[in-house]
Amino acid sequence: MGKKIFSGVQPTGNLHLGNYLGAIKNFVDLNNDKDNKCIFCVVDLHAITVKQDPKELKNNIRETVATFVASGIDPKKSIIFNQSSVAAHAEGAWILSCVARMGWLNRMTQFKEKAGKDKEKASVGLYSYPVLMAADILLYDATHVPVGDDQKQHLELCRDIAQKFNNDFKVENFLQVPEPLIQKEFSRIMSLKDGSKKMSKSELSDLSRINLTDDKDQIINKIKKAKTDPLPLPQSMKELDERLEAKNLIGIYSSLTNSSLENSIKNFAGKNFSEFKEKLTEELVNKIEPISNEIKKLLGDKSYLDEILLDGVEKASLIASKKIERIKEIVGF
Ligand code: AQP
């Protein structure tokens, strides 16, 4: 039986290789299976949990749609829309925030990481972000949610919220409890400058990530400068686990070539990083350069991107408005 897929990406600019290998590549494969129904959301309500420049946000929404399409998601086969245009997301988030418990949210590690030392100055939205994410997913009865490993905890919270709602209001199976779809290997791509930090849009140094809009020369330069260690490439999985930067680069290579880590280790064991980096750059340029060119081309046709969103909003609203009406009835409104 086909899956009902829902996933979102924040339009916060600088979409990168981590977003691609951890999430978008998976979206494309799921979208290509004709039995699946896929909804991909540009989560602009999530984006404003940290400060955004309004003009840039508008451009970034279009750029995220362009990235979906350039990566291979067919807008005719899926629903692509932006979250703020479907009011049920904000309404659902409020109702579910009265179901979610403070204790559950207090355990969310992403809030701790993003808020940093000064939690008092973080927005309330950043704290309650996972409840909005739960509303996004539950409004569409999604059965499966493809995400990177960093979102695993939020998805577990979404499952807890769905179960508590169903129990509290005695509506068995009303909210669909979704399954995460997280790749076993390469589910977290790390910074090119520090193998212990995840590759991220908000990292100041552009050298820490491969942006999906980077051109050939930028990719070559970033891989040349990517951090490594002085030893030759590892000979075993055990050795790989102890060498974070090598593990990340070999992981990226394996993911791009659809091969296992074991196979990549076999191919490169004992070789120098310079030789390996050449092969990695080749794979990256082959994969990212066409996406980057296509994004730039699509950005030149704003009305096409806006049409995709308009069409998506219409389709998503039809589904979400029915669900939120039932939710309101159930809670007694
Ligand atoms: N480094 C990563 N490795 C694997 N997957 C990743 N994802 C993000 N970073 C990595 C996955 O990409 C999808 C979209 O993420 P998002 O844009 O909604 O938010 P994020 O996870 O907060 O991304 P960033 O880059 O870390 O943004 P900033 O720097 O703004 O916090 C998700 O499925 C995510 O798992």
Side-chain angles (χ1 to χ4, degrees):
M1 213 178 77
K3 302 180 176 80
K4 278 191 191 173
I5 306 291
F6 182 97
S7 198
V9 172
Q10 296 187 69
T12 37
N14 297 332
L15 280 170
H16 52 71
L17 187 70
N19 298 126
Y20 179 73
L21 295 179
I24 299 173
K25 183 172 174 251
N26 215 356
F27 296 178
V28 177
D29 294 340
L30 290 161
N31 191 225
N32 284 339
D33 182 337
K34 64 177 175 22
D35 290 333
N36 295 336
K37 287 201 171 81
C38 297
I39 305 182
F40 301 115
C41 187
V42 181
V43 288
D44 46 9
L45 294 175
H46 281 285
I48 60 163
T49 56
V50 296
K51 200 167 180 342
Q52 301 295 331
D53 175 326
K55 267 200 207 113
E56 269 180 38
L57 181 59
K58 226 183 183 77
N59 287 331
N60 287 337
I61 292 170
R62 289 197 183 104
E63 190 168 317
T64 309
V65 178
T67 305
F68 284 167
V69 177
S71 304
I73 295 175
D74 181 351
K76 292 204 185 76
K77 282 202 219 146
S78 58
I79 299 178
I80 297 176
F81 76 106
N82 68 313
Q83 194 185 22
S84 65
S85 297
V86 179
H89 289 254
E91 289 182 276
W94 178 258
I95 295 173
L96 295 182
S97 73
C98 300
V99 175
R101 303 291 92 181
M102 289 288 286
W104 299 355
L105 281 171
N106 284 340
R107 285 194 283 277
M108 294 298 112
T109 51
Q110 194 182 77
F111 173 74
K112 290 177 195 158
E113 279 159 22
K114 286 200 171 173
K117 285 195 191 93
D118 206 351
K119 286 196 197 61
E120 298 288 313
K121 288 204 177 132
S123 73
V124 176
L126 189 66
Y127 179 74
S128 59
Y129 175 117
V131 182
L132 174 60
M133 178 167 157
D136 300 339
I137 297 164
L138 299 174
L139 281 171
Y140 298 91
D141 297 326
T143 57
H144 293 83
V145 183
V147 282
D149 180 64
D150 57 316
Q151 292 294 333
K152 193 170 163 199
Q153 201 186 25
H154 290 168
L155 212 60
E156 276 158 14
L157 184 96
C158 171
R159 290 168 58 87
D160 289 342
I161 292 176
Q163 274 156 350
K164 184 163 163 52
F165 184 96
N166 291 345
N167 287 338
D168 286 357
F169 294 100
K170 302 191 174 46
V171 282
E172 207 182 338
N173 299 329
F174 169 70
L175 291 181
Q176 169 75 42
V177 180
E179 298 291 333
L181 282 180
I182 299 174
Q183 294 162 83
K184 281 193 197 81
E185 284 182 321
F186 337 116
S187 56
R188 196 179 286 232
I189 305 298
M190 310 310 275
S191 156
L192 298 179
K193 289 273 135 206
D194 178 351
S196 67
K197 278 195 193 158
K198 91 169 178 164
M199 186 177 284
S200 137
K201 301 170 191 142
S202 51
E203 171 60 48
L204 281 180
S205 166
D206 196 53
L207 289 175
S208 69
R209 64 181 162 259
I210 304 282
N211 299 307
L212 296 178
T213 49
D214 281 348
D215 61 24
K216 187 175 175 180
D217 290 343
Q218 285 169 308
I219 296 172
I220 293 172
N221 183 41
K222 284 177 181 179
I223 294 303
K224 204 178 271 169
K225 294 201 169 134
K227 189 175 169 197
T228 53
D229 56 43
L231 301 170
L233 277 130
Q235 313 260 1
S236 67
M237 286 292 280
K238 188 173 172 292
E239 197 191 335
L240 186 72
D241 275 336
E242 288 155 7
R243 294 170 57 190
L244 294 183
E245 281 79 22
K247 186 175 180 184
N248 189 37
L249 295 180
I250 293 183
I252 293 172
Y253 178 86
S254 306
S255 181
L256 288 167
T257 54
N258 293 317
S259 46
S260 65
L261 277 174
E262 275 99 341
N263 246 335
S264 302
I265 293 175
K266 241 189 250 160
N267 283 342
F268 294 103
K271 298 206 166 133
N272 291 330
F273 271 105
S274 56
E275 192 178 329
F276 167 70
K277 278 185 168 183
E278 241 174 68
K279 294 274 181 224
L280 174 62
T281 304
E282 205 179 295
E283 294 298 336
L284 275 168
V285 170
N286 282 343
K287 181 51 86 181
I288 304 302
E289 200 187 26
I291 296 178
S292 170
N293 289 340
E294 189 62 18
I295 294 174
K296 285 166 198 152
K297 197 175 113 201
L298 287 166
L299 283 174
D301 191 354
K302 292 198 170 58
S303 55
Y304 172 62
L305 298 173
D306 291 346
E307 262 170 45
I308 292 177
L309 282 173
L310 268 178
D311 182 53
V313 166
E314 201 179 307
K315 289 179 179 148
S317 296
L318 271 178
I319 305 171
S321 60
K322 279 195 196 123
K323 194 76 181 180
I324 196 72
E325 283 318 312
R326 273 294 290 139
I327 291 176
K328 286 181 182 171
E329 269 169 32
I330 288 169
V331 302
F333 293 160

